[in-house]
Amino acid sequence: MSNSELSKGVGTEFGFAERHIGLNSDDLKGVLGALGCDSLDQLIDRVVPTKIRLRRPLDLPAAKSETEVLAIVREIASRNQLAKSYIGLGYSGSITPPVIQRNILENPNWYTAYTPYQPEIAQGRLEALLNFQTMISDLTGLEIANASLLDEGTAAAEAMALCFSVRPPSSSNRYFVSDGCHPQTISVVQTRAEPLGIEVLVQNPETWDLSSKPFGALLQYPTTTGKIEDYRGLIRNLHDAGTKVAVAADLLSLTLLMPPGEFGADICVGTSQRFGVPMGFGGPHAAFFATRNELKRHMPGRLVGVSKDTAGRVALRLALQTREQHIRRDRATSNICTAQVLLAVIASSYAVYHGPKRLRRMAEQIHINTEILALGLERLGFNLLTGPYFDTLTVDLGTSRDAILERAKQEKINFRHFQDGRIGISLDETTTDRDLQGLLDLFCEGDRLFVDDLAPEISSNIPADLRRRSSFLGHPVFNSYHTETELLRYLHRLEQKDLSLTTSMIPLGSCTMKL
């Protein structure tokens, strides 16, 4: 074979499609023969209705090889301008530990594993999801959590649907949503409410009229502007009015703050993204959903349960599946039966790797950095939103706004922009002392302020009665695998209990791949 013939063969007969489609030519002949067809075209003619067929050829350029396409994509990607983002809105920079990136995110044993409908061949995945449920239940202070949902907005909409399904006969169809919730969460809730005939009122909780008997309410903790609110009195009043309360919470902040379950929330939702999951240009990210035991049969999504096999050995399974469409159809609790399995596994493994002490230290460092930035901005004469905060500041730039935003643009720094002209600044695990100094320099008009000079003056502004006092992540799994080697061996043991495309073909269910 000549070089030109070999090159042609690589691009055609042995090209991308041939390497990524399981059937070879002999397999295809067997399938077509069993179906009584001479060709794929004949099969398509029989199966695809004429009315939806496109009879002309697609106007596409000649096919390129996988290598050529990757080169083009890399060239396009090289034109991106990388900026440092402090936008917040529930999205945080996070460091994916290399042992998790290599052995879960980039490992086909994990990323090709499918919905665990058959527990006997999914024990590793189910254990990782059980870790996720335990982590969420511990951090939120609620008795039961599911194996993840699609995103925070979806989880908030599911919380509304749960409240609606258990509403007392005397309640109205009104659902209160705090204007302190993230705007994208509010939008999803409003969209999901419309076909259910739910009236969503987005207001400041201080103005809520409880005499209208709302069936449910949604609060954000901390709020979208960063403020840590004390909701205890409000929730008591809501419960007195027969109203169920859902709280959308920042998961990492719950290592420092009183968990929602302890101040009366019936449901807690949010995203586990900042637990080692890359931001991924906005998604996907594994949401969490936790609630009280009395509401467990109304909880959406999947739940991993601990059982015993016929020999008395501990075994894991999907429990309480009666809520799912593939079993109960239109009587299902929710039309969301999908879980973000891969990303939930990453988040739970992140908690396993760091453990409760390191997670708390991480949250403390983020909070300290936020305090340093706040003190510096106040020294420079800027007004901040009053009240305690965890990792987010809302700043009034005053007459310096245009100059500061122009400098930020030049330095490739992104802030959140509010309609009233203020900006939001959210810090995270990736924020370094150099980043802090760069932010302070951005706001300086004259003499510089230095991080090292401000740091000794810092003390936490979180009120004592809103600080977390209960323990969390006490299970041995979160206190045993804190080195790369230990976690690597643990993950490998879980892999060996599972079936994925690395072993054989896998049974498919009704849902999409969890990517």
Side-chain angles (χ1 to χ4, degrees), residues 7 55 99 133 172 206 216 229 241 285-286 329 363 371 430 463 489:
S7 175
R55 289 298 177 183
V99 64
Q133 292 175 184
S172 67
E206 294 180 359
E229 297 280 8
H285 302 126
R329 300 193 179 184
E371 292 278 11
T430 69
R489 290 170 179 165

Side-chain angles (χ1 to χ4, degrees), residues 349-406:
S349 299
Y350 181 89
V352 167
Y353 183 55
H354 285 297
K357 292 180 180 178
R358 287 203 298 205
L359 286 175
R360 189 179 182 94
R361 282 203 300 268
M362 186 187 304
E364 287 171 343
Q365 186 58 60
I366 293 169
H367 181 56
I368 287 169
N369 287 343
T370 309
E371 292 278 11
I372 291 171
L373 180 60
L375 179 60
L377 293 176
E378 287 172 342
R379 292 269 174 91
L380 292 169
F382 294 96
N383 293 320
L384 307 184
L385 184 72
T386 57
Y389 42 79
F390 167 58
D391 66 355
T392 297
L393 303 174
T394 299
V395 188
D396 185 348
L397 301 180
T399 58
S400 304
R401 185 176 188 276
D402 292 343
I404 290 171
L405 294 183
E406 181 58 33

Side-chain angles (χ1 to χ4, degrees), residues 156-187:
E158 290 296 321
M160 174 184 67
L162 187 156
C163 295
F164 192 59
S165 68
V166 301
R167 68 193 185 281
S170 61
S171 67
S172 67
N173 69 336
R174 288 189 167 186
Y175 189 69
F176 285 169
V177 176
S178 168
D179 58 2
C181 292
H182 295 314
Q184 71 273 17
T185 299
I186 294 173
S187 293

Side-chain angles (χ1 to χ4, degrees), residues 54 63 83 105-106 119 121 143 154 157 168 190 259-260 301 317 321 332 335 366 368 387 389 400 410 441 492 498 514:
L54 184 66
L105 185 59
E106 298 172 357
I121 58 172
E143 294 95 337
T154 298
Q190 289 172 325
R317 61 191 175 86
Q321 287 197 81
N335 62 1
I366 293 169
I368 287 169
Y389 42 79
S400 304
Q410 296 300 320
D441 291 346
H492 186 62
D498 230 292
K514 308 303 176 286

Side-chain angles (χ1 to χ4, degrees), residues 206-477:
E206 294 180 359
T207 68
W208 286 353
D209 177 14
L210 301 188
S211 66
S212 64
K213 297 291 183 180
F215 68 84
L218 176 66
L219 303 165
Q220 190 90 40
Y221 181 69
T223 68
T224 192
T225 58
K227 189 176 180 181
I228 301 168
E229 297 280 8
D230 184 351
Y231 291 126
R232 288 174 292 183
L234 173 62
I235 290 177
R236 281 195 297 270
N237 293 335
L238 286 163
H239 283 165
D240 289 343
T243 305
K244 288 286 187 288
V245 181
V247 173
D250 179 288
L251 198 58
L252 188 59
S253 77
L254 299 183
T255 63
L256 301 183
L257 304 179
M258 178 188 292
E262 292 181 15
F263 60 69
D266 301 292
I267 305 165
C268 185
V269 300
T271 176
S272 61
Q273 179 267 315
R274 72 186 308 168
F275 274 48
V277 181
M279 279 201 276
F281 300 98
H285 302 126
F288 62 85
F289 191 109
T291 189
R292 301 197 178 278
N293 260 329
E294 59 264 29
L295 298 174
K296 63 186 175 186
R297 290 195 174 273
H298 299 273
M299 186 173 66
R302 297 200 171 91
L303 181 72
V304 177
V306 181
S307 187
K308 288 186 178 181
D309 66 11
T310 55
R313 296 170 299 192
V314 171
L316 304 175
R317 61 191 175 86
L318 286 181
L320 291 173
Q321 287 197 81
T322 51
R323 66 171 56 86
E324 293 198 18
Q325 278 185 314
H326 72 275
I327 291 178
R328 298 193 75 197
R329 300 193 179 184
D330 58 338
R331 293 185 295 118
T333 302
S334 166
N335 62 1
I336 297 294
C337 60
T338 267
Q340 287 283 11
V341 172
L342 178 66
L343 304 180
V345 168
I346 290 174
S348 69
S349 299
Y350 181 89
V352 167
Y353 183 55
H354 285 297
K357 292 180 180 178
R358 287 203 298 205
L359 286 175
R360 189 179 182 94
R361 282 203 300 268
M362 186 187 304
E364 287 171 343
Q365 186 58 60
I366 293 169
H367 181 56
I368 287 169
N369 287 343
T370 309
E371 292 278 11
I372 291 171
L373 180 60
L375 179 60
L377 293 176
E378 287 172 342
R379 292 269 174 91
L380 292 169
F382 294 96
N383 293 320
L384 307 184
L385 184 72
T386 57
Y389 42 79
F390 167 58
D391 66 355
T392 297
L393 303 174
T394 299
V395 188
D396 185 348
L397 301 180
T399 58
S400 304
R401 185 176 188 276
D402 292 343
I404 290 171
L405 294 183
E406 181 58 33
R407 288 199 293 271
K409 181 179 178 180
Q410 296 300 320
E411 295 295 327
K412 294 185 174 60
I413 291 176
N414 295 327
F415 298 125
R416 178 181 177 184
H417 295 268
F418 291 94
Q419 289 185 344
D420 61 6
R422 295 179 301 170
I423 64 166
I425 308 174
S426 293
L427 307 186
D428 54 50
E429 179 191 4
T430 69
T431 305
T432 64
D433 286 350
R434 183 176 180 180
D435 294 327
L436 275 182
Q437 189 60 58
L439 285 171
L440 289 173
D441 291 346
L442 196 70
F443 288 86
C444 284
E445 298 286 353
D447 294 336
R448 294 179 71 194
L449 292 178
F450 294 95
V451 170
D452 290 344
D453 296 333
L454 297 170
E457 303 181 43
I458 295 305
S459 61
S460 174
N461 72 350
I462 298 174
D465 58 349
L466 288 180
R467 293 178 188 169
R468 181 167 198 141
R469 303 195 183 281
S470 55
S471 60
F472 56 92
L473 303 186
H475 190 279
V477 75

